[in-house]
Amino acid sequence: GAGVSQSPSNKVTEKGKDVELRCDPISGHTALYWYRQSLGQGLEFLIYFQGNSAPDKSGLPSDRFSAERTGGSVSTLTIQRTQQEDSAVYLCASSAGTDYGYTFGSGTRLTVV
Amino acid sequence: QKEVEQDPGPLSVPEGAIVSLNCTYSNSAFQYFMWYRQYSRKGPELLMYTYSSGNKEDGRFTAQVDKSSKYISLFIRDSQPSDSATYLCAMRYQAGTALIFGKGTTLSVSS
């Protein structure tokens, strides 16, 4: 597609439920990133995939968070046993390589009630 | 001390004003510097990308990097109401590492 696509755009879930957030990067982009944006907190790095290399998971806040990228394209971020502090906008970005800027999607707004 | 500091504002200016947005950082290893613009309920979009020190100009936008002072700036000339958005600085140590973002400065340009 023309841009980075994220789904759903909004998600309301009950505390303790699991959620899956999806990201479709720009075709041909080898790098894919997940960030979290909370009010007043800026963008917090979560995880980074580059080609077939092992992902950089150093930003994941707890073992309730995991992500995978299938076939070097679509990525899914999973949050297990959601907590209210997980409420945020989850942004996905892709880039053509390691020396390029990112193209972001519009994000998934997650609300845990 | 956070790695990247950015005044959140808000910053309000009249149309036509010159706007200066700034970030400071603590780690001298940063080499790649970017500015993103984010409209409400949208993802950030890349405005400017510079490597190491120096200036870069693109239309009404100028990015400056002063590595000796660990200070980066974005100047917007002849500001327009459509420039009203949140501006985020971002930087990284080397190619292949994730960007570290400032918290963003909210700008409002009134007509």
Side-chain angles (χ1 to χ4, degrees), chain B residues 9-28:
Chain B
L11 180 62
S12 296
V13 301
E15 183 175 358
I18 296 175
V19 176
S20 172
L21 303 165
N22 312 292
C23 287
T24 59
Y25 60 95
S26 57
N27 194 322
S28 57

Side-chain angles (χ1 to χ4, degrees), chain B residues 69-90:
Chain B
S69 301
K70 300 192 188 75
Y71 189 87
I72 69 170
S73 300
L74 177 70
F75 297 96
I76 307 174
R77 290 182 299 281
D78 187 26
S79 56
Q80 303 295 309
S82 59
D83 295 328
S84 299
T86 297
Y87 290 80
L88 300 134
C89 63

Side-chain angles (χ1 to χ4, degrees), chain B residues 34-80:
Chain B
M34 303 182 195
W35 285 94
Y36 284 80
R37 177 176 63 195
Q38 186 175 24
Y39 291 113
S40 181
R41 294 189 172 262
K42 297 289 186 183
E45 58 178 323
L46 181 64
L47 275 179
M48 302 288 281
Y49 182 176
T50 55
Y51 171 72
S52 195
S53 284
N55 294 357
K56 184 172 184 179
E57 187 173 323
D58 184 1
R60 297 185 295 111
F61 298 91
T62 299
Q64 288 186 349
V65 175
D66 181 349
K67 292 191 72 179
S68 62
S69 301
K70 300 192 188 75
Y71 189 87
I72 69 170
S73 300
L74 177 70
F75 297 96
I76 307 174
R77 290 182 299 281
D78 187 26
S79 56
Q80 303 295 309

Side-chain angles (χ1 to χ4, degrees), chain A residues 19-102:
Chain A
V19 294
E20 285 189 351
L21 313 179
R22 177 186 168 103
C23 173
D24 269 288
I26 292 173
S27 178
H29 277 194
T30 58
L32 186 147
Y33 308 81
W34 284 98
Y35 283 79
R36 177 168 71 176
Q37 188 172 33
S38 305
L39 194 63
Q41 295 301 313
L43 269 75
E44 175 189 7
F45 166 70
L46 297 176
I47 188 168
Y48 158 42
F49 297 89
Q50 171 57 46
N52 295 321
S53 303
D56 176 358
K57 303 179 182 180
S58 61
L60 294 178
S62 77
D63 59 8
R64 296 186 296 105
F65 289 73
S66 62
E68 62 177 20
R69 187 179 186 191
T70 53
S73 181
V74 172
S75 177
T76 302
L77 177 69
T78 301
I79 308 173
Q80 296 178 310
R81 303 181 303 280
T82 52
Q83 304 295 312
Q84 288 187 328
E85 60 263 29
D86 298 335
S87 296
V89 177
Y90 289 82
L91 289 160
C92 174
S94 68
S95 69
T98 58
D99 195 28
Y100 292 82
Y102 302 169

